Amino acid sequence: MRVRTRVSIMAAGVAVCVLALLGVWFVAKQFGQQLRLPMASRTCTVQADGRVVLGADQMANAATIAAIGMQRQMPERAVVVALATAYQESHLRNIAHGDRDSLGLFQQRPSQGWGTREQIRDPRYAANKFYAALKKVRGWEKMRVTEAAQRVQRSAYPEAYQKWADESTVLTRALLGDATGAVACTVGPTPTMRGPAAATALVQNLALDWGLAGLTAPTDLTDFAVPATDNRNGWRYAHWLVSHADDHGVKRVRFGGLEWTAEHGTWARVQNGDAPTQVLAEVFAAT
């Protein structure tokens, strides 16, 4: 009798655990993109007339979306719309799944002519396709964020994009250089890339995102200079570099009398004679 009782108790315990796990899975699947969960240790804080906290991968994706918008010479409003859309669709994560065949930052569908799966999973390609579609929407500039986004996305929840308008506005101000020292990321001691490989990837992706010509990978990893025509462009590139610090092994960024370091994860004032027309960066040395 005692054996049967113990078996029954164990079975009941297993059933409760299974039900609990199913409940967690259901909530995550239904509401995961909207839940504001605690961030991992590698986080980025953006302060520009408001405050936004993102994970390192989210920040890198946001920076690329903003840069592509500027490269396409879209108005700042377009960047706000694009970021709000990606916030709602994927929470700024380049996911490999979604409703039906949707995937990527904007949950674009290969079956609807957005491109191949491989293309859509490329944040640069996906952002370009979104901006191209937005540009075709007549009068989008005067629409609310959610209305403009809906004209492109055709979502079953047309009002959902509006709730990310404030966060997207903060990100846009910072990433387009309207704020100083506004993007601060915490990077761990083991970045994804290091050494010459990191420097090469950094230069290539900076050039591709912003459409910059003539950039070459530095032979000295401690002295990578990005030309900046003015203060605003300087902060655009500086914030992009910090946003991509974790995935590109950026150790230090300096511009406008301020310096960000991976060690501290914040901007601090420095006394130096750096030229006001260039952003300086350093990547982690190879181990």
Side-chain angles (χ1 to χ4, degrees), residues 203-264:
V203 171
Q204 289 177 344
N205 288 312
L206 179 64
L208 288 170
D209 275 11
W210 288 101
L212 300 177
L215 292 181
T216 56
T219 54
D220 182 355
L221 303 181
T222 65
D223 191 22
F224 168 43
V226 184
T229 55
D230 54 35
N231 193 65
R232 191 181 188 208
N233 273 325
W235 282 113
R236 286 178 176 180
Y237 305 148
H239 289 155
W240 186 96
L241 288 163
V242 175
S243 298
H244 283 276
D246 187 63
D247 60 343
H248 285 72
V250 180
K251 184 178 182 180
R252 177 180 63 92
V253 177
R254 180 181 292 187
F255 182 71
L258 295 176
E259 182 179 77
W260 169 90
T261 62
E263 180 181 2
H264 297 103

Side-chain angles (χ1 to χ4, degrees), residues 45-50 52 59 63 66 76 83 167-184 210 232 234-240 243:
T45 301
V46 182
Q47 306 235 29
D49 292 336
V52 174
M59 193 71 239
E76 287 193 24
L83 289 171
E167 287 90 340
S168 299
T169 300
V170 171
L171 289 174
T172 298
R173 280 185 51 78
L175 292 170
L176 298 191
D178 294 327
T180 298
V183 178
W210 288 101
R232 191 181 188 208
W235 282 113
R236 286 178 176 180
Y237 305 148
H239 289 155
W240 186 96
S243 298

Side-chain angles (χ1 to χ4, degrees), residues 41 72 95 133 157 159 177 183 206 214 225 261 270 287:
S41 58
R72 294 183 65 93
I95 54 180
Y157 306 96
E159 288 294 317
V183 178
L206 179 64
T261 62
V270 292
T287 55

Side-chain angles (χ1 to χ4, degrees), residues 3 6 74 120 146 153 156 163 165 168 176 230 233 247 270 273:
V3 173
R6 289 175 182 172
M74 298 292 286
I120 293 172
T146 198
Q153 298 297 108
K163 65 175 175 285
S168 299
L176 298 191
D230 54 35
N233 273 325
D247 60 343
V270 292

